[in-house]
Amino acid sequence: AVTGVQTCALPIYGYIHVIYSSEDDEVEKLFAFNKLMVQKNISWSLLASHSEELIIGPTFFPDQMGCIPCLLG
């Protein structure tokens, strides 16, 4: 489990999709959360706020598309 992170699981078309939300910018938590979702084969979306900006997405699908290192690199 990753502590200090809020999640919401949504059943979408028979699959579980998780929304990741955190009030801090700790990259280690994001990497740990992504690793857990890949291990569990669960898709997830990023929801974050930065200053006065709200960031929704991208959506990550384990072993298909999207990757945290690519996003942050």
Side-chain angles (χ1 to χ4, degrees):
V2 180
T3 59
V5 174
Q6 296 178 6
T7 61
C8 174
L10 305 170
I12 300 175
Y13 299 112
Y15 297 95
I16 298 296
H17 184 86
V18 174
I19 308 295
Y20 171 99
S21 176
S22 178
E23 293 182 6
D24 57 42
D25 292 333
E26 287 190 44
V27 176
E28 295 82 22
K29 286 183 184 178
L30 190 57
F31 275 98
F33 183 79
N34 181 66
K35 182 178 179 179
L36 180 63
M37 294 295 98
V38 169
Q39 289 172 349
K40 304 275 185 191
N41 197 34
I42 297 174
S43 62
W44 66 280
S45 296
L46 179 64
L47 174 65
S49 60
H50 184 68
S51 294
E52 296 181 12
E53 227 176 23
L54 178 63
I55 301 165
I56 301 173
T59 296
F60 300 93
F61 298 93
D63 299 325
Q64 291 182 27
M65 61 186 289
C67 103
I68 292 297
C70 300
L71 174 67
L72 300 176

